[in-house]
Coordinates of all heavy atoms in Angstrom, one line a residue:
E1 N 0.8 -1.2 0.0 CA 0.0 0.0 0.0 C 0.8 1.3 0.0 O 2.0 1.2 0.5 CB -1.0 0.0 1.2 CG -0.3 0.2 2.5 CD -1.4 0.3 3.6 OE1 -2.4 1.1 3.4 OE2 -1.2 -0.3 4.7
P2 N 0.3 2.3 -0.6 CA -0.9 2.4 -1.4 C -0.7 1.6 -2.7 O 0.3 1.8 -3.3 CB -1.1 3.9 -1.6 CG 0.2 4.5 -1.5 CD 1.0 3.6 -0.6
V3 N -1.7 0.9 -3.0 CA -1.6 0.0 -4.3 C -2.8 0.3 -5.2 O -3.9 0.2 -4.7 CB -1.5 -1.5 -3.9 CG1 -2.6 -2.0 -3.1 CG2 -1.2 -2.3 -5.1
P4 N -2.5 0.6 -6.4 CA -3.6 0.8 -7.4 C -4.4 -0.6 -7.5 O -3.8 -1.6 -7.5 CB -2.9 1.1 -8.7 CG -1.6 1.7 -8.3 CD -1.2 0.9 -7.0
S5 N -5.7 -0.5 -7.6 CA -6.5 -1.7 -7.6 C -6.1 -2.6 -8.8 O -6.1 -3.8 -8.6 CB -8.0 -1.4 -7.6 OG -8.3 -0.6 -8.7
G6 N -5.8 -2.1 -9.9 CA -5.3 -2.9 -11.1 C -4.1 -3.6 -10.8 O -3.9 -4.8 -11.1
E7 N -3.1 -3.0 -10.0 CA -1.9 -3.7 -9.6 C -2.2 -4.8 -8.6 O -1.6 -5.8 -8.6 CB -0.9 -2.7 -9.1 CG 0.5 -3.3 -8.8 CD 1.4 -2.2 -8.2 OE1 1.4 -1.1 -8.7 OE2 2.3 -2.6 -7.4
L8 N -3.2 -4.5 -7.7 CA -3.5 -5.5 -6.7 C -4.1 -6.7 -7.4 O -3.8 -7.8 -7.0 CB -4.6 -4.9 -5.7 CG -5.0 -5.7 -4.6 CD1 -3.8 -6.2 -3.7 CD2 -6.0 -5.0 -3.7
V9 N -4.9 -6.5 -8.4 CA -5.4 -7.7 -9.2 C -4.3 -8.5 -9.7 O -4.3 -9.7 -9.6 CB -6.3 -7.2 -10.3 CG1 -6.6 -8.3 -11.3 CG2 -7.6 -6.6 -9.8
K10 N -3.3 -7.8 -10.3 CA -2.1 -8.6 -10.8 C -1.3 -9.3 -9.7 O -0.9 -10.4 -9.9 CB -1.2 -7.6 -11.6 CG -1.8 -7.1 -12.9 CD -0.9 -6.1 -13.5 CE -1.6 -5.5 -14.8 NZ -0.9 -4.3 -15.3
L11 N -1.2 -8.7 -8.6 CA -0.5 -9.3 -7.4 C -1.2 -10.5 -7.0 O -0.6 -11.6 -6.7 CB -0.4 -8.3 -6.3 CG 0.7 -7.3 -6.3 CD1 0.5 -6.2 -5.3 CD2 2.1 -7.9 -6.2
C12 N -2.5 -10.4 -6.9 CA -3.4 -11.6 -6.4 C -3.4 -12.7 -7.5 O -3.4 -13.9 -7.1 CB -4.8 -11.1 -6.1 SG -4.9 -10.1 -4.7
E13 N -3.3 -12.3 -8.7 CA -3.2 -13.4 -9.8 C -1.9 -14.1 -9.7 O -1.9 -15.3 -9.7 CB -3.3 -12.7 -11.1 CG -3.3 -13.7 -12.3 CD -3.5 -13.0 -13.6 OE1 -3.2 -11.8 -13.7 OE2 -3.8 -13.7 -14.6
K14 N -0.8 -13.4 -9.4 CA 0.5 -14.0 -9.4 C 0.7 -14.8 -8.1 O 1.2 -15.9 -8.1 CB 1.6 -12.9 -9.5 CG 3.0 -13.4 -9.4 CD 4.0 -12.2 -9.6 CE 5.4 -12.7 -9.4 NZ 6.3 -11.6 -9.5
K15 N 0.4 -14.1 -6.9 CA 0.7 -14.7 -5.6 C -0.4 -15.7 -5.1 O -0.1 -16.7 -4.4 CB 0.8 -13.6 -4.6 CG 1.9 -12.6 -4.9 CD 3.2 -13.1 -4.4 CE 4.2 -11.9 -4.6 NZ 5.6 -12.3 -4.3
L16 N -1.7 -15.5 -5.5 CA -2.8 -16.3 -4.9 C -3.5 -17.1 -6.0 O -4.4 -17.8 -5.7 CB -3.7 -15.4 -4.2 CG -3.2 -14.5 -3.1 CD1 -4.2 -13.5 -2.5 CD2 -2.6 -15.4 -1.9
K17 N -3.1 -16.9 -7.3 CA -3.8 -17.5 -8.4 C -5.3 -17.2 -8.5 O -6.1 -18.0 -8.8 CB -3.6 -19.1 -8.3 CG -2.2 -19.5 -8.1 CD -1.3 -19.2 -9.2 CE 0.1 -19.8 -9.1 NZ 1.2 -18.9 -9.2
W18 N -5.6 -15.9 -8.2 CA -7.0 -15.5 -8.2 C -7.3 -14.8 -9.5 O -6.5 -14.2 -10.2 CB -7.2 -14.4 -7.1 CG -7.3 -15.0 -5.7 CD1 -7.1 -16.2 -5.3 CD2 -7.5 -14.2 -4.6 NE1 -7.2 -16.3 -3.9 CE2 -7.4 -15.1 -3.5 CE3 -7.7 -12.8 -4.3 CZ2 -7.6 -14.6 -2.2 CZ3 -7.9 -12.4 -3.0 CH2 -7.9 -13.3 -2.0
K19 N -8.6 -14.9 -9.8 CA -9.2 -14.1 -11.0 C -9.5 -12.7 -10.5 O -9.6 -12.5 -9.2 CB -10.4 -14.8 -11.5 CG -10.2 -16.2 -12.1 CD -11.4 -16.8 -12.7 CE -11.1 -18.1 -13.3 NZ -12.2 -18.8 -13.8
K20 N -9.7 -11.8 -11.4 CA -10.0 -10.4 -11.1 C -11.2 -10.3 -10.2 O -11.2 -9.6 -9.2 CB -10.2 -9.7 -12.4 CG -10.5 -8.2 -12.2 CD -10.7 -7.6 -13.6 CE -11.1 -6.1 -13.5 NZ -11.2 -5.5 -14.8
S21 N -12.2 -11.1 -10.5 CA -13.5 -11.0 -9.7 C -13.3 -11.4 -8.3 O -13.9 -10.9 -7.4 CB -14.6 -11.9 -10.4 OG -14.1 -13.3 -10.5
T22 N -12.4 -12.4 -8.1 CA -12.2 -12.9 -6.7 C -11.5 -11.8 -5.9 O -11.9 -11.5 -4.7 CB -11.3 -14.1 -6.7 OG1 -11.9 -15.2 -7.5 CG2 -11.0 -14.6 -5.3
T23 N -10.5 -11.1 -6.5 CA -9.8 -10.0 -5.8 C -10.8 -8.9 -5.4 O -10.8 -8.5 -4.3 CB -8.7 -9.4 -6.8 OG1 -7.7 -10.5 -7.0 CG2 -8.0 -8.3 -6.1
Y24 N -11.6 -8.5 -6.4 CA -12.6 -7.4 -6.1 C -13.6 -7.9 -5.0 O -14.1 -7.0 -4.2 CB -13.2 -6.9 -7.3 CG -12.3 -6.0 -8.1 CD1 -11.7 -6.3 -9.3 CD2 -11.9 -4.7 -7.5 CE1 -10.9 -5.4 -10.0 CE2 -11.0 -3.9 -8.2 CZ -10.5 -4.2 -9.4 OH -9.6 -3.4 -10.0
T25 N -14.0 -9.1 -5.0 CA -15.0 -9.6 -4.0 C -14.4 -9.6 -2.6 O -15.0 -9.1 -1.7 CB -15.4 -11.0 -4.4 OG1 -16.1 -11.0 -5.6 CG2 -16.4 -11.6 -3.3
V26 N -13.2 -10.1 -2.5 CA -12.5 -10.1 -1.2 C -12.2 -8.6 -0.8 O -12.4 -8.3 0.4 CB -11.2 -10.9 -1.2 CG1 -10.4 -10.8 0.1 CG2 -11.6 -12.4 -1.5
L27 N -11.8 -7.8 -1.7 CA -11.5 -6.4 -1.4 C -12.8 -5.7 -0.9 O -12.8 -5.0 0.1 CB -10.9 -5.6 -2.6 CG -10.7 -4.1 -2.4 CD1 -9.8 -3.8 -1.3 CD2 -10.2 -3.5 -3.7
R28 N -13.9 -5.9 -1.6 CA -15.1 -5.3 -1.2 C -15.5 -5.7 0.2 O -15.9 -4.9 1.1 CB -16.3 -5.7 -2.2 CG -17.6 -5.1 -1.8 CD -18.7 -5.5 -2.8 NE -18.7 -6.9 -3.1 CZ -19.3 -7.8 -2.4 NH1 -19.8 -7.5 -1.2 NH2 -19.3 -9.1 -2.8
K29 N -15.4 -7.0 0.5 CA -15.7 -7.5 1.9 C -14.9 -6.9 3.0 O -15.4 -6.5 4.0 CB -15.6 -9.1 1.9 CG -16.8 -9.7 1.1 CD -16.6 -11.2 1.2 CE -17.8 -11.9 0.4 NZ -17.7 -13.3 0.4
L30 N -13.6 -6.8 2.7 CA -12.7 -6.2 3.7 C -12.9 -4.7 3.8 O -12.6 -4.1 4.9 CB -11.2 -6.6 3.4 CG -11.0 -8.1 3.6 CD1 -9.5 -8.4 3.4 CD2 -11.4 -8.6 4.9
C31 N -13.3 -4.0 2.7 CA -13.7 -2.6 2.8 C -15.0 -2.5 3.7 O -15.0 -1.6 4.5 CB -13.9 -2.0 1.4 SG -12.4 -1.7 0.5
E32 N -15.9 -3.4 3.5 CA -17.1 -3.3 4.3 C -16.9 -3.6 5.8 O -17.5 -3.0 6.6 CB -18.1 -4.4 3.8 CG -18.8 -4.0 2.4 CD -19.6 -5.2 1.8 OE1 -19.6 -6.3 2.4 OE2 -20.1 -5.0 0.7
K33 N -15.9 -4.4 6.1 CA -15.5 -4.6 7.5 C -14.7 -3.5 8.1 O -14.4 -3.4 9.3 CB -14.6 -5.9 7.5 CG -15.4 -7.2 7.4 CD -14.4 -8.4 7.5 CE -15.2 -9.7 7.5 NZ -14.4 -10.8 7.9
G34 N -14.3 -2.5 7.2 CA -13.5 -1.4 7.7 C -12.0 -1.5 7.8 O -11.3 -0.7 8.4
L35 N -11.5 -2.6 7.2 CA -10.1 -2.8 7.2 C -9.3 -2.0 6.1 O -8.3 -1.4 6.4 CB -9.8 -4.3 7.0 CG -8.3 -4.7 7.2 CD1 -7.8 -4.4 8.6 CD2 -8.2 -6.2 6.9
F36 N -9.9 -1.9 4.9 CA -9.3 -1.2 3.8 C -10.3 -0.3 3.2 O -11.5 -0.3 3.4 CB -8.8 -2.2 2.7 CG -7.8 -3.2 3.2 CD1 -8.1 -4.6 3.2 CD2 -6.6 -2.8 3.7 CE1 -7.1 -5.5 3.7 CE2 -5.6 -3.6 4.1 CZ -5.9 -5.0 4.1
Q37 N -9.8 0.6 2.3 CA -10.6 1.5 1.5 C -10.1 1.5 0.1 O -8.9 1.3 -0.1 CB -10.7 2.9 2.1 CG -9.4 3.6 2.0 CD -9.5 5.0 2.7 OE1 -10.6 5.5 3.0 NE2 -8.4 5.7 2.8
N38 N -11.0 1.7 -0.9 CA -10.6 1.7 -2.3 C -11.2 3.1 -2.8 O -12.3 3.2 -3.1 CB -11.2 0.6 -3.1 CG -10.8 0.5 -4.5 OD1 -10.0 1.4 -4.9 ND2 -11.3 -0.4 -5.3
Q39 N -10.3 4.1 -2.8 CA -10.7 5.4 -3.2 C -10.0 5.8 -4.5 O -8.8 5.7 -4.6 CB -10.4 6.4 -2.1 CG -11.3 6.3 -0.9 CD -11.2 7.5 0.0 OE1 -10.1 8.0 0.2 NE2 -12.3 7.9 0.6
N40 N -10.8 6.1 -5.5 CA -10.2 6.5 -6.8 C -9.3 5.5 -7.4 O -8.3 5.8 -8.0 CB -9.5 7.9 -6.7 CG -10.5 9.0 -6.2 OD1 -11.6 9.0 -6.7 ND2 -10.0 9.8 -5.3
G41 N -9.6 4.2 -7.1 CA -8.8 3.1 -7.7 C -7.5 2.8 -6.9 O -6.7 2.1 -7.4
V42 N -7.3 3.4 -5.7 CA -6.1 3.2 -4.9 C -6.6 2.5 -3.6 O -7.4 3.1 -2.9 CB -5.3 4.5 -4.7 CG1 -4.1 4.2 -3.8 CG2 -4.9 5.0 -6.0
V43 N -6.0 1.4 -3.3 CA -6.3 0.7 -2.1 C -5.3 1.0 -1.0 O -4.1 0.9 -1.2 CB -6.3 -0.9 -2.3 CG1 -6.7 -1.6 -1.0 CG2 -7.3 -1.2 -3.4
T44 N -5.9 1.4 0.2 CA -5.1 1.7 1.4 C -5.8 1.1 2.6 O -7.0 0.8 2.5 CB -4.9 3.2 1.6 OG1 -6.2 3.8 1.7 CG2 -4.1 3.8 0.5

C-alpha cells in the first residue's frame, strides 16, 4: 500500500492464483469490514 487496484489484481493473480473477480470480491468484503478502502482506484 498504497496500491492501485489494477496492480492489486495482478499481485493476487501472481501470488494467490486469483481471478480479477475474486480479488474485487475479497477487497469489497474487507472494505465493508472497515479494514481497507478503495478510493479513486487506490487501495489503502
Side-chain angles (χ1 to χ4, degrees):
E1 72 173 314
V3 59
S5 57
E7 185 179 326
L8 184 58
V9 167
K10 291 175 185 171
L11 281 167
C12 289
E13 183 180 17
K14 180 180 177 183
K15 302 276 186 183
L16 305 173
K17 309 295 186 233
W18 286 4
K19 293 182 179 178
K20 179 179 179 179
S21 59
T22 304
T23 298
Y24 281 112
T25 297
V26 174
L27 175 60
R28 181 180 46 78
K29 288 181 181 180
L30 294 184
C31 287
E32 288 170 359
K33 287 184 175 189
L35 187 62
F36 300 118
Q37 65 181 355
N38 184 3
Q39 289 189 321
N40 301 317
V42 178
V43 179
T44 56

